[in-house]
Amino acid sequence: MKLLLDTHALLWSIIEPERLSPTACAAITDPAAQVAVSAVSFWEIAIKTALGKLSLSGTTPEALVDAAQQQGFDLLPLDPRLAASFTRLPVDPQHRDPFDRMLVWQALSLGYKLVSRDRKISTTSHSQLQTLW
């Protein structure tokens, strides 16, 4: 199974694994799963940390990259062609967050199931999107 972690799922996997649902935890730790983290999530974390909207407990945005790799997560770059094709993702008036929307687009385009607790994502109008929590 190919899994793409939403930003909060990444943070909780590394800093507070007890906050993951049992289903998400089992899927992420399944040795047969291919778990990826997008560059978009690291960008979101860096921006929110710089703005004071996110406080990281004993780590830095830069250290999270190494921590993700130590957990065996694949690092998923944001491909320029994928970014340019983002215009094909229908606008969801209920969920306009650009970070979440790009994660949705990456999951849809690359065949990942998105690991997210975000109800706005799980109830999104993108019928092909598969989520797990």
Side-chain angles (χ1 to χ4, degrees):
M1 177 179 354
K2 289 173 58 175
L3 303 173
L4 177 60
L5 300 183
D6 194 353
T7 304
H8 64 272
L10 165 64
L11 289 170
W12 293 348
S13 293
I14 295 171
I15 298 171
E16 299 178 275
E18 67 278 2
R19 293 188 67 182
L20 294 170
S21 74
T23 302
C25 186
I28 292 168
T29 58
D30 181 345
Q34 177 186 348
V35 183
V37 180
S38 174
V40 172
S41 289
F42 294 111
W43 182 33
E44 178 180 14
I45 291 165
I47 288 173
K48 289 184 176 179
T49 300
L51 294 174
K53 293 183 176 186
L54 176 64
S55 176
L56 298 174
S57 302
T59 191
T60 64
E62 296 93 340
L64 289 174
V65 177
D66 293 332
Q69 288 184 301
Q70 288 170 0
Q71 293 228 1
F73 302 155
D74 296 330
L75 301 181
L76 185 63
L78 179 56
D79 178 86
R81 292 196 186 280
L82 185 69
S85 68
F86 180 70
T87 60
R88 297 195 333 239
L89 182 69
V91 175
D92 182 349
Q94 302 302 313
H95 199 205
R96 301 183 63 95
D97 181 280
F99 299 111
D100 287 346
R101 289 181 45 75
M102 183 52 79
L103 291 173
V104 165
W105 185 238
Q106 282 186 302
L108 285 168
S109 299
L110 302 174
Y112 285 89
K113 186 177 281 193
L114 188 62
V115 179
S116 179
R117 188 179 100 166
D118 189 332
R119 289 194 195 322
K120 290 179 182 176
I121 289 176
S122 64
T123 60
T124 187
S125 61
H126 314 296
S127 60
Q128 293 90 5
L129 179 68
Q130 294 182 11
T131 60
L132 180 143
W133 189 255

